[in-house]
Amino acid sequence: MRSKASFLTYDHGHPDDESDILELNDDISRPRGKGNGKGKKSNTSSVDGVTGKTRMSKEERLRLNEEKKQQKEREKLQKAAQKAEAAEIKKREKEKEKWEKGKFAHKSIVAHIDTKVVELGSIGGHLLSRLAEKGLSFRVSSNPIEKSIVWSISVPEEISKISSEVIKVPYILIICEAEEFCDLVNSESLMSHISRVQRLYPLHTVCYLTNKLMAYINKREQGQYKDPANHIGWKRPPIEEVLSKLTINFVKVHSRHCVDEAELAEHVAGLTYSLASCQFRNKLTRLSVNANGSLIPKSCVDKDMIKKSPWLKALVAIPKVQPRFAIAIWKKYPTMKSLLHVYMDPSKSVHEKEFLLKDLKVENMLGDDRKLGEICSRRVYRILMAQCGSIKTDDIESGADFFSQHSAE
């Protein structure tokens, strides 16, 4: 207590010191000052900065994820589009292969029928009905040649993007009634008519299709015989002579005679079908041997083996060389080169070469073996060693090629 009183006494004794003490107390009771306030504010702002950076990094991450997702979606759509395009190209290629093989030929061929044919009445009705039954397309139009039918093959819609070419079939059919054809023959205007058709269609095969021609001629002849008074001036046309002139004097001109309208319509429908198919067949070349070996008899046991061997097919294509003869030669000389090597040997005489194959054994169906023979051996040698390709095989076999070589020398 004493200390406290003395302390108070001391304060009252020194007023200046009291004010100093009060100021000191005020300083103690006040906050630490502006410096401390500024530090707190800077700490708060630094925390806010870290939070902002964290918030920005999250937004950036979301944005990057969204961009990646969109990129993957675009790549997925692009791959799907590429896949669909590849599938479409593959489909078109398949359709093109089918088109080149003639799978769409019968659906694509169109018969352009002249209006005069339809106006013939019974012929036009039968013809249009038969074509419709066969599922073949046709158009009735005005052709440059009256009463004619021409054909074209258009590209189907499936492959129209690949090619839009229209194939013109080089064939023209001219339909004539019996009386009309007889008038052309009697007036000697048939040849000029053919020339006119060939000028308009120089690359086409021309066919004159007649209806009931012979029946008409026989009917007129019988009527003239029974009642000559009513058939004065009628003369039987020289049909046979004119038709032979068509073959001799013109190239790619022929005729066809039908007994009635039904046969005529069936012929035109079958012709349309054949014209569509033949446009896509493999063209025969100099190396083709008689339509892939059609000379081989159906009863031949080795038919399949011969068809697979070009050498055997060439041997069978030689006149009078049977399949068993060809197989006998093939067993001794398995290739054409091996046989020609012996034929071209200068150390052997022509006589030896001609009879080179005569002793070859030919297997018979009954089991007894026979020899090939001199005639067949000579035939094979002379045909394979022939120098002139324009001589007929029968003449070559008789030695015509040998004499032509010596005459040329």
Side-chain angles (χ1 to χ4, degrees):
M1 292 296 291
R2 186 179 294 175
S3 63
K4 184 176 180 183
S6 63
F7 177 75
L8 291 173
T9 303
Y10 179 81
D11 288 341
H12 286 288
H14 300 84
D16 295 330
D17 295 337
E18 185 179 356
S19 62
D20 294 337
I21 293 170
L22 292 173
E23 290 178 1
L24 180 61
N25 291 334
D26 292 338
D27 293 339
I28 295 171
S29 62
R30 280 201 302 265
R32 292 185 176 272
K34 291 183 180 181
N36 293 334
K38 288 182 179 179
K40 186 176 181 181
K41 187 176 180 181
S42 62
N43 291 336
T44 305
S45 62
S46 63
V47 172
D48 292 339
V50 173
T51 307
K53 289 181 180 179
T54 306
R55 190 181 298 112
M56 287 178 63
S57 64
K58 288 181 180 180
E59 292 176 357
E60 184 72 18
R61 193 181 303 112
L62 290 173
R63 186 176 64 81
L64 291 175
N65 290 337
E66 186 66 22
E67 289 181 356
K68 288 181 180 179
K69 185 177 179 181
Q70 292 178 359
Q71 181 67 22
K72 287 182 179 179
E73 189 68 23
R74 284 194 296 268
E75 290 177 356
K76 184 178 180 181
L77 292 175
Q78 187 178 2
K79 287 181 180 180
Q82 291 176 353
K83 187 176 180 181
E85 186 179 358
E88 184 67 22
I89 293 174
K90 188 176 181 180
K91 182 180 178 181
R92 289 179 187 176
E93 290 297 328
K94 286 184 178 180
E95 297 294 335
K96 185 179 179 181
E97 288 179 3
K98 289 182 180 180
W99 165 255
E100 291 174 350
K101 291 180 180 179
K103 299 293 183 181
F104 303 113
H106 306 120
K107 297 180 181 179
S108 305
I109 191 167
V110 180
H112 301 270
I113 305 173
D114 187 66
T115 53
K116 296 291 185 181
V117 176
V118 181
E119 293 173 1
L120 289 176
S122 58
I123 291 179
H126 279 83
L127 179 58
L128 298 183
S129 300
R130 193 56 182 161
L131 290 175
E133 290 175 2
K134 291 283 188 178
L136 299 169
S137 302
F138 60 87
R139 293 175 185 171
V140 179
S141 59
S142 180
N143 295 339
I145 301 296
E146 289 188 358
K147 298 181 181 180
S148 66
I149 302 177
V150 292
W151 289 265
S152 66
I153 299 178
S154 57
V155 179
E157 296 180 359
E158 292 84 353
I159 57 173
S160 58
K161 295 181 181 179
I162 299 175
S163 174
S164 58
E165 181 184 3
V166 177
I167 301 174
K168 299 291 185 180
V169 180
Y171 198 99
I172 179 171
L173 185 69
I174 301 171
I175 299 177
C176 298
E177 288 282 13
E179 184 177 359
E180 179 185 4
F181 190 78
C182 289
D183 292 340
L184 286 173
V185 173
N186 286 327
S187 62
E188 298 181 356
S189 58
L190 179 61
M191 301 303 170
S192 61
H193 189 273
I194 296 173
S195 300
R196 177 171 172 266
V197 173
Q198 288 187 328
R199 283 196 302 271
L200 291 174
Y201 300 94
L203 302 178
H204 286 50
T205 298
V206 182
C207 178
Y208 283 84
L209 184 63
T210 62
N211 181 39
K212 299 180 180 179
L213 177 61
M214 301 312 298
Y216 171 79
I217 293 174
N218 292 333
K219 183 178 180 180
R220 292 297 300 267
E221 285 182 336
Q222 290 178 5
Q224 188 179 26
Y225 177 77
K226 293 179 181 179
D227 190 7
N230 293 331
H231 293 81
I232 298 175
W234 187 84
K235 182 177 65 173
R236 188 185 193 281
I239 298 295
E240 293 78 7
E241 180 182 351
V242 170
L243 295 180
S244 63
K245 286 183 179 180
L246 292 183
T247 306
I248 297 172
N249 299 336
F250 294 94
V251 179
K252 296 193 297 184
V253 178
H254 59 274
S255 61
R256 170 67 191 267
H257 308 296
C258 299
V259 297
D260 55 14
E261 293 82 0
E263 183 180 345
L264 187 146
E266 185 66 31
H267 174 74
V268 175
L271 179 62
T272 303
Y273 199 91
S274 299
L275 289 174
S277 301
C278 70
Q279 301 301 316
F280 298 92
R281 290 175 185 165
N282 294 329
K283 305 299 181 182
L284 294 179
T285 64
R286 294 181 180 272
L287 298 178
S288 302
V289 180
N290 197 50
N292 198 24
S294 60
L295 280 174
I296 306 171
K298 294 183 179 180
S299 59
C300 180
V301 179
D302 302 311
K303 183 177 181 180
D304 294 334
M305 182 178 67
I306 295 175
K307 281 190 173 183
K308 293 178 181 178
S309 173
W311 174 222
L312 285 173
K313 286 195 295 183
L315 289 171
V316 173
I318 298 175
K320 301 178 184 179
V321 174
Q322 300 178 18
R324 54 196 181 100
F325 296 165
I327 292 174
I329 298 171
W330 171 73
K331 287 182 177 180
K332 179 66 175 178
Y333 302 97
T335 62
M336 180 183 287
K337 183 179 179 180
S338 59
L339 181 57
L340 291 178
H341 181 73
V342 180
Y343 281 164
M344 298 177 72
D345 186 1
S347 62
K348 294 182 180 294
S349 64
V350 174
H351 184 271
E352 291 176 338
K353 296 174 184 178
E354 284 187 344
F355 298 106
L356 177 68
L357 308 175
K358 68 174 184 176
D359 294 328
L360 294 180
K361 292 184 179 180
V362 179
E363 296 180 358
N364 197 2
M365 295 290 293
L366 301 177
D368 53 334
D369 295 339
R370 297 182 180 180
K371 294 183 179 180
L372 190 67
E374 297 180 356
I375 297 176
C376 184
S377 179
R378 185 191 301 113
R379 181 181 296 115
V380 172
Y381 170 77
R382 291 187 175 181
I383 289 179
L384 290 182
M385 297 301 293
Q387 300 294 322
C388 183
S390 61
I391 302 178
K392 295 181 180 180
T393 54
D394 292 339
D395 296 335
I396 291 175
E397 184 183 347
S398 301
D401 188 69
F402 175 77
F403 292 111
S404 64
Q405 292 180 42
H406 283 273
S407 62
E409 293 175 357

